[in-house]
Structure formats: structure tokens, C-alpha cells
């Protein structure tokens, strides 16, 4: 696989994470669980989540749409890939400290959780590779 194809695959992988992310509010019953928060805290929670989603959309769109430019490994492209690698690397580290087990009651939720961990790992390695080599 050449670097252009790698960038495109990494871009598409991020869209699959968004599909999984769209299930989170329902699986964690945000409507009920967050109802007791003060209005400002609730709004901030949604805004922060929205910013994360928009970043993932941007990473996916830019990677899929500008794969040739990113694979050219200009200083900007390397910095962009480095930023995405750090973003997903931090998310991967957070997998180890978040207590999701009480919410993984069905087999498909457990499988999905492990698939997300694999995706976070692949994205960190993939973009890290593009940033460095």
C-alpha cells in the first residue's frame, strides 16, 4: 500500500469511529444521566463533544480529499499528521483509564469497544508513520 492509499484508508477509518460515537448518547442514556447537571455544564458537555466530532470529521474529510497532498510529506503535511497522531494517541491512552466495563453489557458492545481500541491504535501508528517517514 502506498502512502496515498494509506492516507485514504486512515481517513475512512475515522468515519467508522463517528458511527460508533453516534451510539454513545443512547447507550449511556445521556438524556437521563446528564439531566441533573446545571444547564451550563450540560451545554459545555455537548459543545466539547461537538468539537471532538467536528475534528474527526475534518480529519476524515481532509485525509480522504487531500490524500495526495498529505502523502507528499511536506512540512505542513507532516505536522498535520503529527497532530492527528497525537490526537488519537491521547484517545488511545484514555482507553486505559476510562471505566467503560459497566456499560459493556452486551457482546456486541464489548466487541465494538475492542474494535475502537484497535482503530485508535492503527490511527496513531498510521499518522505517526506519515509524520515521521
Amino acid at each position: 500500500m502506498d502512502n496515498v492509499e494509506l492516507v485514504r484508508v486512515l481517513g475512512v477509518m475515522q468515519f467508522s469511529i463517528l458511527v460508533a460515537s453516534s451510539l454513545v448518547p443512547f447507550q449511556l442514556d445521556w438524556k437521563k444521566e446528564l439531566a441533573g447537571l446545571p444547564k451550563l455544564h450540560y451545554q459545555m458537555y455537548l459543545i466539547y463533544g461537538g468539537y471532538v466530532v467536528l475534528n474527526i470529521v475534518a480529519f476524515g474529510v481532509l485525509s480522504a480529499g487531500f490524500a495526495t497532498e498529505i502523502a507528499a510529506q511536506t512540512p505542513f503535511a507532516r505536522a498535520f499528521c503529527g497532530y492527528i497522531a497525537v490526537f488519537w494517541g491521547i484517545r488511545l491512552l484514555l482507553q486505559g483509564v476510562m471505566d467503560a466495563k459497566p456499560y459493556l453489557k452486551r457482546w456486541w458492545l464489548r466487541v465494538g469497544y475492542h474494535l475502537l481500541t484497535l482503530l485508535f491504535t492503527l490511527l496513531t501508528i498510521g499518522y505517526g508513520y506519515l509524520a515521521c517517514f
Side-chain angles (χ1 to χ4, degrees):
M1 175 182 303
D2 69 6
N3 283 354
V4 174
E5 291 172 350
L6 174 61
V7 173
R8 285 193 180 115
V9 167
L10 292 170
V12 170
M13 287 169 60
Q14 292 175 93
F15 294 125
S16 65
I17 290 173
L18 289 175
V19 171
S21 295
S22 70
L23 300 174
V24 169
F26 304 105
Q27 290 301 315
L28 299 183
D29 197 8
W30 279 7
K31 191 172 189 174
K32 179 182 134 206
E33 296 295 328
L34 301 179
L37 290 176
K39 186 175 181 179
L40 177 62
H41 294 191
Y42 177 77
Q43 291 169 330
M44 290 173 65
Y45 199 88
L46 295 179
I47 289 167
Y48 294 156
Y51 273 109
V52 170
V53 167
L54 287 175
N55 270 285
I56 297 170
V57 168
F59 295 161
V61 168
L62 293 171
S63 294
F66 296 95
T68 303
E69 291 83 350
I70 293 169
Q73 297 179 309
T74 63
F76 179 79
R78 286 176 185 262
F80 177 72
C81 291
Y83 173 72
I84 297 175
V86 168
F87 178 93
W88 288 117
I90 290 169
R91 183 59 186 86
L92 178 60
L93 291 173
L94 290 173
Q95 269 314 75
V97 298
M98 292 192 311
D99 186 19
K101 288 180 185 174
Y103 300 96
L104 305 175
K105 295 176 183 175
R106 295 184 176 93
W107 70 269
W108 58 273
L109 292 171
R110 288 188 294 277
V111 169
Y113 181 82
H114 293 299
L115 285 173
L116 283 173
T117 303
L118 176 62
L119 285 172
F120 300 151
T121 303
L122 293 173
L123 288 164
T124 302
I125 292 169
Y127 281 106
Y129 167 80
L130 290 165
C132 295
F133 298 103

